Amino acid sequence: MCGIVGYTGPREAYPVILKGLKRLEYRGYDSAGVALLDGDLNVYKKKGKVAELEENMIGTNMHAHIGIGHTRWATHGEPNDRNAHPHLSQSGQIAMIHNGIIENYAKIKKDLLAKGYNFKSDTDTEVLLNFIEDIKKNNNCPLEEAVRIALKRIVGAYCILLIDKDDPHTIIAARKGSPLVIGIGKGEHFLASDASPIIEYTKEVVYVNDYEIAIVRPDELILKNLGNENQTPFITKLDMELAAIEKGGYDHFMLKEIFEQPTTIYDCLRGRLDTEKSTITMSGIQQYADKIINANRIMIIACGTSWHAALVAEYIIEELCRIPVEVEYASEFRYRNPIIHEGDVIIAVSQSGETADTLVAIENAKQKGAIIIGIVNAVGSSIARVSHAGAYTHAGPEIGVASTKAFTAQLAVLTMAALKIGLEKGTITKERYQQLAQELADIPEKVEAVLKTDDQIKKLAEKYKDARDFLYLGRGYNFPVALEGALKLKEISYIHAEGYPAAEMKHGPIALVDEDLPVVFVATKDSYHEKIISNMQEIKARKGKVIAIMTEGDTVTPTLADDIIVIPEADEIVAPMLSVIPLQLLAYHIGVAKGLDVDKPRNLAKSVTVE
Ligand code: M6R
């Protein structure tokens, strides 16, 4: 949560920072602000989105070659101008932005209040900033040194950037738990929460590690650890194009990302799945194949949409590999006392690779001897780096807050991994392996076909947009898809929606059913089909409105459903990659029909880097 940007070099800093903030706005949009240093240190900040800050800046002096900017997802203190970042230290000498949470801020604030410090905001950030200033003053030391001393006494997570009036070319940055990327230009440096604000200027970046402090000047980047020892910056080349982070003619990133899925799934399979040679090449998985094959169980840890992908994977891995799988919410896993044995295999699934709960959960499990396999989209992200091995999903940057293309790419990777392990373990036959490999290879084309239902779904959205509640039902592999459909609708349209296993509906939710309740059935042709048809009848008998996602050629579903969306036939193991797409489109079109900002739904942020 929160996006941070910094620049030092010969360019005008404000346009670079503003553009960067727009690219990072998916990380939080409660307020935005910039600090520009040009002799004077000026801070401009505003509640609301970056566009409101931009509007507010018109007519002000924006000239500076160094600056920092922030887009906020509020933790401490309500979203307002006062709590917006950057914050200025008591003396007005230092400006700071922060992504994270300082857990022991209350005690530090109490001490600073006793020393006569005043606070203009309710934030933990302003406390850390004044703590740093106090140390700098008392020790008569450079800012870098004060930051190091302060951070050793801080409990919590942070990525901070500071500029000091007395040092007009230098940005001091540090991270623990919240991401920081530094772009290396010619005589200039760019700092950001992810590479999207940087890609336009340079492809050479350094991912800063936890407990590192960066001293960044136009022509110099010094990395140190908290013990003041120099660290060698490891330069990575970005494999990303600017077009990937722009809307490309679509009204919203979410729609663009839904429509990218034939390509993203193809990219994910490309170079790995070879149906002619009948091979799947995944070096990260291969390296640990023996451990996975011999594992007594696999645990999958994730949050949100990634957790739903993990639930589908549970069904797939148990079916193909006959290994027991437990799927855990990362936030629950990290705070209980889970039983982990040396050599247990834990799969972490995450689009951003920065989700705090998932990251800490795997760090804890790693310490207890578990093998961590990361299924991650964002290259170079924290979860990818903490994992022993893994596989990238190659879906490209996902900007829309609602996760769409990441989900189908996660399913593609997890299915390939299960197929590979199943074959090596001997729990599936060569014939079934080849059949499923072909089914996987056919998915991109079938997704194209599903996307042709877009106009029809738009009409459905108009019809149902005023419903107060929705129920989503599915069975087997499609049960997690029902959960995912409900999550998409909730976050984009603010309509209350519940996902349920279709048969479990009889044990409570059926009480909700009346003629006003739309019930979305994910009812593709699979081994549960007859059963789900019975559940549909139960809803119809109570006058519920049935919207069915059904397979081409199914003649029964249309006799029961009020509305149908027809998708191509596919094996039940790969079907979720198709059946989820109409649900993504339905949520999108309902959100748009209600006039909502689907790319930036209220209260949410793309990357949840706080617990
Ligand atoms: O980046 P991650 O996959 O770890 O994120 C997990 C969740 O925060 C994320 O899926 C969230 O639920 C999305 N808003 C869902 O659309």
Side-chain angles (χ1 to χ4, degrees):
M1 344 284 272
C2 299
I4 58 148
V5 189
Y7 176 77
T8 177
R11 296 172 202 256
E12 282 295 334
Y14 175 67
V16 174
I17 293 169
L18 188 76
K19 207 185 250 187
L21 290 180
K22 286 182 179 168
R23 297 220 170 110
L24 289 181
E25 205 170 14
Y26 70 88
R27 302 177 68 89
Y29 29 83
D30 288 329
S31 62
V34 292
L36 300 170
L37 177 56
D38 179 40
D40 289 337
L41 178 54
N42 292 314
V43 169
Y44 307 93
K45 48 192 192 173
K46 193 83 197 118
K47 179 182 173 198
K49 296 187 174 147
V50 176
E52 284 162 66
L53 170 76
E54 188 178 12
E55 180 110 344
N56 214 47
M57 291 288 287
I58 295 168
T60 58
N61 173 20
M62 302 167 201
H63 173 69
H65 296 291
I66 179 168
I68 53 178
H70 187 268
T71 174
R72 178 171 187 241
W73 187 85
T75 57
H76 293 70
E78 66 172 277
N80 57 26
D81 292 356
R82 224 165 36 85
N83 290 329
H85 299 212
H87 291 280
L88 269 180
S89 63
Q90 174 112 330
S91 68
Q93 281 283 125
I94 310 168
M96 183 172 109
I97 53 176
H98 170 215
N99 168 22
I101 289 184
I102 305 303
E103 289 170 20
N104 58 339
Y105 83 102
K107 162 86 179 71
I108 300 170
K109 186 170 185 174
K110 200 168 152 211
D111 295 347
L112 291 171
L113 283 168
K115 288 182 172 182
Y117 279 82
N118 299 311
F119 291 89
K120 297 179 197 73
S121 76
D122 310 315
T123 64
D124 51 344
T125 306
E126 195 187 6
V127 175
L128 174 57
L129 171 58
N130 280 326
F131 185 44
I132 291 169
E133 174 153 90
D134 192 56
I135 293 170
K136 184 173 186 276
K137 205 168 64 188
N138 294 338
N139 293 272
N140 194 18
C141 63
L143 180 61
E144 168 206 334
E145 181 64 26
V147 167
R148 189 169 23 256
I149 297 170
L151 294 182
K152 284 188 183 160
R153 287 157 60 183
I154 284 302
V155 181
Y158 54 80
C159 170
I160 52 173
L161 303 192
L162 302 98
I163 46 179
D164 182 348
K165 234 172 158 178
D166 285 344
D167 192 353
H169 304 292
T170 308
I171 298 176
I172 305 290
R175 75 155 270 183
K176 186 208 149 199
S178 302
L180 174 61
V181 191
I182 301 179
I184 303 166
K186 288 195 174 63
E188 58 184 349
H189 283 104
F190 307 83
L191 301 93
S193 300
D194 71 30
S196 59
I198 297 173
I199 182 85
E200 182 169 350
Y201 309 104
T202 175
K203 291 208 165 177
E204 296 204 332
V205 297
V206 171
Y207 291 95
V208 177
N209 292 311
D210 277 351
Y211 304 108
E212 283 181 346
I213 296 183
I215 299 109
V216 190
R217 302 192 177 97
D219 46 14
E220 188 177 40
L221 165 62
I222 302 168
L223 268 190
K224 293 186 174 186
N225 62 17
L226 289 187
N228 202 22
E229 293 159 334
N230 280 327
Q231 308 293 300
T232 310
F234 180 74
I235 299 175
T236 309
K237 253 210 151 38
L238 287 175
D239 180 19
M240 188 202 287
E241 295 305 325
L242 188 58
I245 53 169
E246 295 190 330
K247 279 194 207 150
Y250 286 89
D251 288 343
H252 297 98
F253 282 111
M254 183 178 175
L255 190 63
K256 176 188 172 224
E257 286 158 7
I258 292 172
F259 272 83
E260 274 175 351
Q261 289 176 105
T263 312
T264 51
I265 299 172
Y266 177 77
D267 284 348
C268 175
L269 303 176
R270 190 161 48 109
R272 290 169 167 163
L273 178 72
D274 186 331
T275 45
E276 274 171 25
K277 292 198 195 124
S278 215
T279 54
I280 290 175
T281 312
M282 298 172 90
S283 51
I285 307 294
Q286 189 59 54
Q287 208 185 338
Y288 285 91
D290 283 347
K291 304 261 188 220
I292 302 174
I293 287 168
N294 295 315
N296 290 323
R297 64 168 178 175
I298 293 174
M299 297 173 93
I300 316 184
I301 296 176
C303 302
T305 290
S306 299
W307 186 79
H308 296 153
L311 282 183
V312 180
E314 174 185 8
Y315 283 63
I316 297 175
I317 296 171
E318 291 198 344
E319 172 68 25
L320 300 183
C321 311
R322 308 307 296 153
I323 303 170
V325 178
E326 290 166 32
V327 178
E328 295 257 4
Y329 281 120
S331 54
E332 290 298 315
F333 180 87
R334 66 180 279 198
Y335 284 114
R336 58 189 187 80
N337 189 9
I339 300 161
I340 295 170
H341 302 292
E342 185 83 29
D344 271 354
V345 172
I346 293 192
I347 302 177
V349 185
S350 175
Q351 186 288 126
S352 62
E354 300 294 349
T355 300
D357 285 327
T358 310
L359 180 60
V360 176
I362 60 170
E363 280 171 342
N364 293 348
K366 193 175 175 185
Q367 270 172 13
K368 292 182 179 166
I371 294 159
I372 313 292
I373 311 281
I375 307 297
V376 174
N377 192 38
V379 176
S381 57
S382 301
I383 293 174
R385 285 183 294 145
V386 163
S387 300
H388 290 104
Y392 282 118
T393 48
H394 296 311
E398 193 181 61
I399 315 279
V401 165
S403 192
T404 52
K405 62 176 181 172
F407 178 76
T408 46
Q410 286 164 348
L411 292 185
V413 167
L414 288 160
T415 309
M416 276 190 289
L419 268 177
K420 190 174 171 59
I421 296 298
L423 187 70
E424 289 192 25
K425 193 170 178 221
T427 41
I428 49 167
T429 61
K430 184 91 184 161
E431 292 68 40
R432 179 75 173 133
Y433 169 88
Q434 280 168 335
Q435 183 218 340
L436 282 173
Q438 189 56 54
E439 286 273 351
L440 256 179
D442 292 342
I443 285 292
E445 209 180 311
K446 291 183 181 176
V447 172
E448 292 275 11
V450 180
L451 289 169
K452 296 211 167 85
T453 61
D454 184 44
D455 283 343
Q456 193 195 343
I457 294 174
K458 200 170 172 182
K459 288 188 190 123
L460 274 188
E462 278 300 327
K463 180 171 170 187
Y464 290 106
K465 71 176 192 312
D466 297 319
R468 207 190 53 181
D469 307 283
F470 266 73
L471 196 56
Y472 284 72
L473 301 175
R475 296 183 79 130
Y477 299 93
N478 277 325
F479 155 54
V481 175
L483 295 182
E484 175 59 7
L487 176 65
K488 287 290 88 85
L489 189 72
K490 270 183 278 214
E491 61 181 338
I492 297 307
S493 73
Y494 317 150
I495 294 175
H496 167 248
E498 292 210 37
Y500 247 80
E504 184 66 17
M505 169 263 303
K506 294 191 292 293
H507 301 280
I510 198 164
L512 298 170
V513 179
D514 61 17
E515 61 276 12
D516 294 327
L517 184 78
V519 182
V520 179
F521 273 90
V522 193
T524 52
K525 261 285 176 69
D526 55 21
S527 42
Y528 308 83
H529 193 247
E530 278 177 24
K531 303 275 174 209
I532 205 163
I533 289 292
S534 307
N535 301 138
M536 219 180 268
Q537 267 152 347
E538 288 156 6
I539 296 290
K540 278 318 294 171
R542 286 156 185 88
K543 299 194 167 46
K545 294 272 177 299
V546 170
I547 304 164
I549 313 303
M550 55 161 272
T551 309
E552 229 166 11
D554 169 3
T555 51
V556 183
T557 302
T559 63
L560 292 169
D562 296 86
D563 293 287
I564 53 169
I565 304 293
V566 182
I567 66 172
E569 191 161 5
D571 190 281
E572 61 186 6
I573 285 187
V574 298
M577 281 180 264
L578 304 179
S579 57
V580 75
I581 287 166
L583 308 187
Q584 297 169 344
L585 286 168
L586 185 64
Y588 170 78
H589 285 301
I590 291 182
V592 171
K594 288 172 88 77
L596 300 170
D597 186 348
V598 294
D599 278 340
K600 302 186 196 85
R602 71 181 177 207
N603 303 337
L604 284 168
K606 181 72 182 162
S607 195
V608 185
T609 53
V610 295
E611 62 173 286

